[in-house]
Amino acid sequence: MKVKFRRGTIVRKIRYVTLALCIAVSVLGGATGAFAEEKAKGNAGSGSAGGASAADLAPGARSAILMDASTGTVIYQKNSHDKLPPASITKIMTMLLTVEALDEGRLQLTDKVRTSEYAASMGGSQIFLEPGEEMTVDDMLKGIAMASGNDASVAMAEKIAGSESAFVDLMNQKAEALGLKDTHFANCNGLPAANHYSSAHDIAVISRELLKHEQIIKYTGSYQDYLRKDSPKPFWLVNTNKLVRFYTGADGLKTGYTSEAKFCLSATASRDGLRAVAVVLGEPNTKTRNSEVSAMFDYLFSQYKLHTIHKAGDTIGTVRVEKGVKNQLPLVAKENYSILLRKGVTQEGIRHELVLNEHVKAPVAEGQTVGKLVVYQGDKMLKEYELKAGENIAKAGWWKLFKRATGSMFTKD
């Protein structure tokens, strides 16, 4: 039996089939394109400043991160939490504990540091300290920051804590206090050792903490200097971080190399009110390391700007203190409170709120958290700053409290 089809019916069916195939191809193509886009985003690394994203700025690095030092905003990251050998970048923590001791008065720059036989035996990068030789803290910091002296690092560790092992305990305690999850130290200089590791993220956090002590730039930002200048054997120091000479605004922080860690660098540069921190680990050579860090700096300085909410010294508000000798505590900005914005992004809708702890009772200790400053753009929270007491407030005696209470009874509205 022959089946007859009308010509119009056949044409309509062909059109339906063609349309269905086109829709299917479109859907599948769109899904494939979306997947490729997501994959590309994951490989490129991304920042948290207004959703900005960067291309792979450090293709040669095993791990990398780019951070704004002022706000801690991460602009770019690549395997930033991988636990890797940090080589001499370890010394950033050594310098941090040293400048903290200076700030707290436990050390003076003029104090003499004696070199033990153990410190003198370190080898590797060194300033060739001899057993029994003495240098000032000032000169030891030069030797650590500029020449990456393993011997100077151990000598300073022994001066501060009595032994390197005790100093390493302090390093790990500081890492814990900073909330670092990818770090454990086994020595103070970064020579290869078991259970000695960190990550690009953690190193950036330590670097940012070190930069709060502005005097460190005097050492990390110098390209050349001398030790034992007036002795028969002067020692010429040349900074291992060549960016301090060849990149405008670069003034730190620390290079590193071992055969296991490869070429590493935690660098900082300041330009137009911005300070960047860039960390790369596992680079193949110094040329690639310096080139990629320079590209990271260029990206931040060309694409971002700071918007300041409060400047250091501004009075932000007051908090009521219950049962204190003073019943009001002024809140003063200890630093610039700023947010990082992409250039060209509108600042419209940026606002901030003061959120104070409900019950602040005396005694109040200086440095105690009493609230926070929260910055929004529209309904989106951009940044939180902890607000801390700038002074001690003792608890008031019963007589003062009695007079305050009875005095308020007779105060007119």
Side-chain angles (χ1 to χ4, degrees):
M1 179 179 177
K2 293 183 178 179
V3 179
K4 293 183 180 180
F5 292 96
R6 293 182 182 177
R7 185 174 179 276
T9 303
I10 293 172
V11 170
R12 282 195 298 272
K13 287 186 176 181
I14 290 171
R15 285 176 178 170
Y16 293 152
V17 171
T18 303
L19 179 60
L21 286 171
C22 289
I23 292 171
V25 169
S26 175
V27 170
L28 289 172
T32 304
F35 175 78
E37 185 181 356
E38 286 303 313
K39 186 176 180 182
K41 285 180 181 177
N43 288 337
S46 62
S48 55
S53 63
D56 191 357
L57 294 172
R62 185 174 173 184
S63 175
I65 195 167
L66 174 63
M67 181 183 288
D68 168 56
S70 175
T71 64
T73 304
V74 175
I75 305 301
Y76 162 82
Q77 54 188 325
K78 172 185 177 181
N79 305 324
S80 65
H81 287 280
D82 284 6
K83 297 176 181 179
L84 298 170
S88 283
I89 290 181
T90 299
K91 297 182 177 86
I92 294 174
M93 180 64 91
T94 300
M95 290 189 287
L96 174 58
L97 294 184
T98 302
V99 293
E100 284 186 343
L102 286 166
D103 286 350
E104 293 166 10
R106 293 183 285 115
L107 272 182
Q108 302 295 325
L109 286 173
T110 53
D111 288 351
K112 294 289 187 179
V113 181
R114 186 179 181 279
T115 305
S116 68
E117 292 214 14
Y118 174 66
S121 72
M122 284 298 104
S125 299
Q126 57 184 306
I127 57 173
F128 300 97
L129 292 169
E130 297 182 359
E133 183 177 3
E134 291 188 341
M135 275 191 181
T136 62
V137 171
D138 184 52
D139 281 344
M140 287 290 186
L141 269 173
K142 289 180 188 177
I144 296 169
M146 297 176 66
S148 195
N150 295 325
D151 46 1
S153 299
V154 174
M156 275 308 315
E158 292 174 339
K159 173 71 173 178
I160 292 171
S163 69
E164 186 190 20
S165 61
F167 187 81
V168 169
D169 288 342
L170 295 179
M171 294 170 73
N172 287 317
Q173 289 169 22
K174 186 66 178 181
E176 185 177 356
L178 291 173
L180 308 183
K181 306 296 184 185
D182 314 323
T183 297
H184 185 271
F185 296 110
N187 59 48
C188 66
N189 49 33
L191 286 169
N195 207 28
H196 186 88
Y197 55 83
S198 191
S199 68
H201 170 272
D202 286 7
I203 290 163
V205 173
I206 301 168
S207 299
R208 185 173 174 239
E209 193 70 18
L210 178 60
L211 287 166
K212 292 178 182 178
H213 304 266
E214 295 180 1
Q215 71 267 39
I216 198 63
I217 296 301
K218 169 189 170 184
Y219 304 96
T220 63
S222 297
Y223 184 67
Q224 59 184 6
D225 206 332
Y226 278 93
L227 294 176
R228 312 179 185 94
K229 189 172 183 178
D230 299 323
S231 75
K233 295 181 180 180
F235 186 77
W236 185 35
L237 294 172
V238 179
N239 202 321
T240 57
N241 179 11
K242 304 309 177 192
L243 290 182
V244 301
R245 181 178 180 185
F246 297 111
Y247 189 92
T248 302
D251 48 14
L253 280 167
K254 191 71 200 68
T255 60
Y257 171 80
T258 65
S259 58
E260 181 187 18
K262 302 302 180 187
F263 294 87
C264 307
L265 175 62
S266 178
T268 185
S270 179
R271 194 184 291 177
D272 300 327
L274 284 175
R275 177 169 287 283
V277 171
V279 179
V280 290
L281 303 178
E283 292 278 18
N285 52 61
T286 54
K287 182 178 179 180
T288 304
R289 177 181 73 184
N290 292 346
S291 173
E292 292 187 352
V293 167
S294 296
M296 292 163 79
F297 285 158
D298 287 344
Y299 182 80
L300 188 146
F301 293 138
S302 67
Q303 298 298 310
Y304 290 89
K305 62 183 178 180
L306 276 180
H307 175 70
T308 300
I309 308 299
H310 283 291
K311 292 182 179 179
D314 285 355
T315 299
I316 301 171
T318 57
V319 60
R320 183 172 178 275
V321 179
E322 298 177 13
K323 299 182 179 180
V325 291
K326 292 172 62 177
N327 56 15
Q328 296 287 333
L329 172 69
L331 297 175
V332 179
K334 296 296 184 183
E335 57 184 313
N336 289 344
Y337 295 151
S338 306
I339 54 171
L340 194 69
L341 294 177
R342 192 80 181 262
K343 287 182 178 178
V345 173
T346 179
Q347 297 174 190
E348 186 177 348
I350 293 179
R351 59 188 175 84
H352 59 278
E353 293 181 4
L354 197 60
V355 181
L356 302 177
N357 295 354
E358 283 190 22
H359 299 287
V360 178
K361 296 181 179 180
V364 175
E366 182 178 357
Q368 177 181 328
T369 300
V370 293
K372 59 185 178 180
L373 182 73
V374 188
V375 185
Y376 297 90
Q377 186 165 30
D379 294 329
K380 180 183 178 183
M381 189 189 75
L382 301 180
K383 184 74 177 176
E384 280 188 359
Y385 284 100
E386 276 194 342
L387 299 177
K388 299 184 178 183
E391 59 181 296
N392 295 316
I393 296 182
K395 188 174 182 179
W398 72 269
W399 179 244
K400 188 176 186 68
L401 292 174
F402 173 75
K403 288 198 297 182
R404 186 180 293 167
T406 54
S408 66
M409 293 172 58
F410 300 101
T411 302
K412 294 182 179 180
D413 292 333

